[in-house]
């Protein structure tokens, strides 16, 4: 065994015989190494005391990352661990350390990681037919479309739903919605006077140019300006501003019933009713983006299902949980909107392929189950009980709780990234959104015991950040757009 080669290698010096416990090994070595410089002692004590400390610079993870990143466009800032395996609500990194996942791939893995039936479907369909293009029919595109329409009607949502366009992602679903709204405006006013689109501050609709143009955050738009012309931005939940915002020139309005990336902000029923009324008055298409909040994350199939029919949308977009990690998106439209779309107006090469659609057919079947939806509401109540306890424990830190079902936000008074790091190093994955908000979007199948376990870890992490003298540094890269 070689001795320390440099400042970044305390863990290499501390390795013991393979049959010994790793943590016992670190702890005993930390005691023996009390004469080491402070940096070494701190690193040793950290690895001895934390169940999942971030991999150090001399780790296998760091070596793999260092090799790979030189070939990757740097569009993300990632924390140190590298994950290679998942099961249920857990992930394992390449150091074989286990993490409880409260992120679900950003509200994607609704049935958890590597759902057994989904894995079986992927295997079976990959041996039958993966892709043949939209030049030809396949059994699963139509079957998925039919199921989406039927289950949406059964749920009491989108009363006039009639047709579905299947694509590959949430951004593509919103691009289709934007194009369909523009086409409806052109059909209503062939002179081109009805082409404006409205979205709202705090929204996130995607990264492609149309969806990005509907996402009014200068941080994200400025590097790619100018945006597509014709977009206007309003204030979320501002009823008084609707009439001046949505006019005869408006062809479409796109809104998230619950803003995910923007901070888990919930649209009021009164606001959505007023917005629907104004869209009807001026002949504008109303689009609900339920890519993050839909597919039973709120305890109903769609987040707007508890609204009266007069507040329902003309277009509904979905993705994320639709594939449980396999890329797919969909745009649901009324027959009225569909009647404006002609052959050749829109298309996709991969969208609607039989593999993705068969997976999504299974997902919609599972996520529309009443028992699963009722469990989501029970789990929401359990989370809220823990939030009450955290608020009592951290009076100066926790401000409020927002959201519904299992899309919840805990508003803090300060930067939450140190909490994210401290939680991760204790075995819990969680992400942020908006400004100083912790976002909770776990798999919908998370157990009550796992909720208790994760919230206990979060409490310990917050205690380490806010009540202990040592400083926990935050790791960047914890938001979808960050």
């Amino acid at each position: 065994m070689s001795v320390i080669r440099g400042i970044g290698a305390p863990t290499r010096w501390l390795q013991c015989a393979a049959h010994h416990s790793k943590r016992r090994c670190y702890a005993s070595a930390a005691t023996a190494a009390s004469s080491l410089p402070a940096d070494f002692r701190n690193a040793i004590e950290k690895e001895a005391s934390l169940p999942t400390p971030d991999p150090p610079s001399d780790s296998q993870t760091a070596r793999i990352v260092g090799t790979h990143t030189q070939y990757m466009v740097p569009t993300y800032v990632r924390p140190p661990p590298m994950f290679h395996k998942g099961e249920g609500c857990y992930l394992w990194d390449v150091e074989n350390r286990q993490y409880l996942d409260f992120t679900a791939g950003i509200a994607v893995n609704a049935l958890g990681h590597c759902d057994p039936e989904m894995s079986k479907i992927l295997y079976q369909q990959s041996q039958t037919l993966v892709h043949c293009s939209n030049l030809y029919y396949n059994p699963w595109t139509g079957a998925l479309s039919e199921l989406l329409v039927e289950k949406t009607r059964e749920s009491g949502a989108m009363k006039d739903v009639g047709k579905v366009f299947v694509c590959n992602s949430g951004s593509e679903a919103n691009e289709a919605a934007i194009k369909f709204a523009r086409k409806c405006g052109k059909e209503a006013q062939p002179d081109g006077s009805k082409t404006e689109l409205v979205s709202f501050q705090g929204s996130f609709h995607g990264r492609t140019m149309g969806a990005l143009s509907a996402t009014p955050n200068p941080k994200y738009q400025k590097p790619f300006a100018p945006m597509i012309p014709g977009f206007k931005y309003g204030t979320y939940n501002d009823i008084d501003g609707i009439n001046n915002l949505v006019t005869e020139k408006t062809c479409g309005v796109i809104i998230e019933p619950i803003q995910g990336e923007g901070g888990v902000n919930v649209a009021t029923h009164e606001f959505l009713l007023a917005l629907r009324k104004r869209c009807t008055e001026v002949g504008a298409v109303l689009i609900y983006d339920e890519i993050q909040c839909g597919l039973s994350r709120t305890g109903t199939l769609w987040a707007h299902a508890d609204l009266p029919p007069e507040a329902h949308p003309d277009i509904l977009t979905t993705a994320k949980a639709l594939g449980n990690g396999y890329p797919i998106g969909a745009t649901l439209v009324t027959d009225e909107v569909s009647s404006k779309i002609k052959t050749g107006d829109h298309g996709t090469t991969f969208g609607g392929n039989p593999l993705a659609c068969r997976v999504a057919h299974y997902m919609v079947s599972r996520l529309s189950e009443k028992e699963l939806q009722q469990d989501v509401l029970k789990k929401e109540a359990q989370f809220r009980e823990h939030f009450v306890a955290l608020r009592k424990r951290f009076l100066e830190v926790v401000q409020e709780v927002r959201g519904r079902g299992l899309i919840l936000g805990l508003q803090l008074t300060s930067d939450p990234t140190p909490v994210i790091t401290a939680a991760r190093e204790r075995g819990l994955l969680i992400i942020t959104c908006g400004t100083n908000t912790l976002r909770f979007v776990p798999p919908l199948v998370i157990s009550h015991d796992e909720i208790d376990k994760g919230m206990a870890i979060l409490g310990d992490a917050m205690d380490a950040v806010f009540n202990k003298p040592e400083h926990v540094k935050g790791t960047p890269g914890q938001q979808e757009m960050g």
Side-chain angles (χ1 to χ4, degrees):
M1 173 64 68
S2 61
V3 296
I4 298 171
R5 298 183 197 173
I7 268 184
T11 55
R12 188 180 296 119
W13 183 82
L14 291 168
Q15 288 176 349
C16 296
H19 66 276
H20 288 302
S21 162
K22 182 176 181 182
R23 290 185 65 190
R24 286 202 307 271
C25 164
Y26 282 161
S28 61
T31 302
S34 59
S35 61
L36 287 171
D39 287 348
F40 283 101
R41 290 201 308 272
N42 291 339
I44 291 166
E45 289 169 3
K46 177 180 176 181
E47 295 208 18
S49 63
L50 295 174
T52 53
D54 281 343
S57 59
D58 68 323
S59 64
Q60 177 189 6
T61 298
R63 289 193 292 272
I64 298 172
V65 169
T67 300
H68 290 176
T69 51
Q70 60 184 313
Y71 302 105
M72 299 165 64
V73 177
T75 51
Y76 292 93
V77 178
R78 297 175 173 93
M82 173 181 283
F83 297 112
H84 80 112
K85 177 185 174 183
E87 183 179 346
C89 296
Y90 290 92
L91 287 168
W92 285 262
D93 66 13
V94 295
E95 315 280 343
N96 202 34
R97 298 179 299 189
Q98 184 188 69
Y99 301 76
L100 179 57
D101 185 9
F102 271 15
T103 76
I106 317 178
V108 169
N109 303 109
L111 297 184
H113 298 282
C114 300
D115 174 77
E117 186 62 27
M118 176 182 167
S119 298
K120 185 189 299 184
I121 289 169
L122 284 166
Y123 176 74
Q124 291 174 345
Q125 191 61 39
S126 68
Q127 292 192 316
T128 306
L129 181 64
V130 173
H131 174 78
C132 64
S133 90
N134 284 300
L135 298 176
Y136 309 101
Y137 289 107
N138 75 75
W140 289 104
T141 310
L144 171 62
S145 300
E146 180 183 11
L147 187 66
L148 278 168
V149 169
E150 288 181 348
K151 291 300 183 181
T152 298
R153 288 172 177 167
E154 289 176 12
S155 74
M158 196 176 177
K159 62 182 178 65
D160 294 323
V161 63
K163 303 275 192 303
V164 179
F165 173 78
V166 184
C167 53
N168 305 289
S169 68
S171 282
E172 287 183 50
N174 282 337
E175 291 286 346
I178 290 167
K179 286 181 69 176
F180 293 170
R182 277 272 171 92
K183 184 67 188 299
C184 288
K186 290 289 185 72
E187 290 283 321
Q189 295 293 342
D191 63 359
S193 62
K194 195 175 186 64
T195 59
E196 289 184 351
L197 286 135
V198 168
S199 63
F200 295 89
Q201 300 293 339
S203 64
F204 174 56
H205 298 293
R207 303 172 186 270
T208 50
M209 283 304 292
L212 184 60
S213 297
T215 301
N217 188 322
K219 175 183 174 182
Y220 309 140
Q221 290 187 347
K222 187 176 179 180
F224 307 102
M227 294 293 101
I228 294 173
F231 282 82
K232 295 170 63 177
Y233 309 123
T235 301
Y236 201 69
N237 279 332
D238 177 18
I239 295 175
D240 293 338
I242 287 177
N243 283 357
N244 290 331
L245 183 68
V246 182
T247 70
E248 296 290 342
K249 295 181 179 180
T250 306
C251 67
V253 176
I254 183 168
I255 185 170
E256 299 162 274
I258 301 176
Q259 291 183 334
E261 174 65 20
V264 192
N265 305 307
V266 181
T268 66
H269 284 196
E270 295 78 12
F271 180 66
L272 293 176
L273 278 163
L275 196 59
R276 170 74 272 180
K277 180 181 178 183
R278 183 57 175 168
C279 285
T280 300
E281 288 173 353
V282 302
V285 170
L286 179 60
I287 305 162
Y288 284 170
D289 175 347
E290 293 213 20
I291 289 164
Q292 185 161 164
C293 64
L295 290 173
S296 295
R297 185 153 287 278
T298 60
T300 54
L301 186 62
W302 302 112
H304 74 274
D306 60 343
L307 289 170
E310 56 267 28
H312 288 185
D314 304 294
I315 300 177
L316 175 67
T317 59
T318 183
K320 287 192 178 285
L322 186 62
N324 206 55
Y326 196 89
I328 187 170
T331 307
L332 286 66
V333 301
T334 64
D335 285 327
E336 176 65 20
V337 171
S338 178
S339 70
K340 306 297 191 297
I341 309 304
K342 308 301 180 186
T343 301
D345 279 349
H346 195 50
T348 169
T349 297
F350 297 109
N353 70 76
L355 181 56
C357 287
R358 185 174 174 186
V359 168
H361 190 278
Y362 163 69
M363 289 301 300
V364 174
S365 299
R366 281 288 308 276
L367 295 176
S368 58
E369 293 174 357
K370 295 299 182 185
E371 184 178 356
L372 180 145
Q373 294 169 351
Q374 292 167 359
D375 281 345
V376 166
L377 299 178
K378 293 175 184 176
K379 293 164 186 176
E380 175 192 1
Q382 185 178 355
F383 267 108
R384 287 184 178 275
E385 289 177 4
H386 283 289
F387 293 152
V388 169
L390 282 179
R391 194 168 188 179
K392 291 178 180 177
R393 188 174 170 186
F394 302 98
L395 283 172
E396 302 300 317
V397 177
V398 179
Q399 285 188 314
E400 66 171 338
V401 178
R402 296 188 295 272
R404 286 168 45 205
L406 291 180
I407 175 169
L408 299 167
L410 189 66
Q411 184 64 50
L412 306 185
T413 57
S414 61
D415 179 15
T417 52
V419 177
I420 300 293
T421 299
R424 183 177 64 247
E425 293 198 310
R426 287 159 176 79
L428 175 68
L429 301 177
I430 193 169
I431 52 176
T432 63
C433 61
T435 302
N436 297 340
T437 305
L438 292 174
R439 176 170 29 170
F440 299 79
V441 283
L444 304 188
V445 295
I446 192 169
S447 71
H448 293 283
D449 286 345
E450 287 166 340
I451 293 173
D452 288 340
K453 177 182 177 181
M455 292 304 295
I457 295 173
L458 179 62
D460 290 344
M462 292 178 67
D463 188 56
V465 172
F466 299 116
N467 293 338
K468 298 291 175 67
E470 63 267 22
H471 177 64
V472 180
K473 293 182 178 180
T475 303
Q478 301 299 324
Q479 290 186 235
E480 186 159 3
M481 289 290 286

